[in-house]
């Protein structure tokens, strides 16, 4: 039981901080992954994160079609 509580604590405190999204990190991410981050059903992004994602998509000349509709910049 103690192991389960410990594992849950680690998962809830460390894992949400594993993905850092800024103008530098988006350059290394695949286009499909960037598009998935724009889908509010999978990831709730902040305004600076969305801005960094859209800027990188613009540089790549990519457009995303999400299950909830198109993500346009």
């Amino acid at each position: 039981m103690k192991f389960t509580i410990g594992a849950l604590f680690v998962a809830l405190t460390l894992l949400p901080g594993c993905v850092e999204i800024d103008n530098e990190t988006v350059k290394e991410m695949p286009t499909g992954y960037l598009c998935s981050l724009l889908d509010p059903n999978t990831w709730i992004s902040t305004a600076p994160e969305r801005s960094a994602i859209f800027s990188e998509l613009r540089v790549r000349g990519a457009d995303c079609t999400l299950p909830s509709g198109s993500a346009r910049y």
Side-chain angles (χ1 to χ4, degrees):
M1 181 68 169
K2 289 181 183 180
F3 176 77
T4 304
I5 292 172
L8 181 62
F9 175 77
V10 169
L12 292 176
T13 56
L14 297 180
L15 291 180
C18 290
V19 177
E20 184 177 330
I21 300 172
D22 60 28
N23 290 330
E24 292 302 313
T25 58
V26 295
K27 292 177 182 177
E28 302 169 7
M29 296 177 183
T31 302
Y33 182 65
L34 292 176
C35 289
S36 73
L37 294 176
L38 294 173
D39 186 356
N41 295 322
T42 59
W43 179 267
I44 305 299
S45 57
T46 63
E49 290 173 339
R50 291 180 67 80
S51 177
I53 293 168
F54 281 126
S55 293
E56 182 61 23
L57 290 172
R58 200 173 300 119
V59 168
R60 295 179 188 190
D63 192 17
C64 301
T65 303
L66 306 173
S68 57
S70 285
R72 301 247 178 224
Y73 36 83

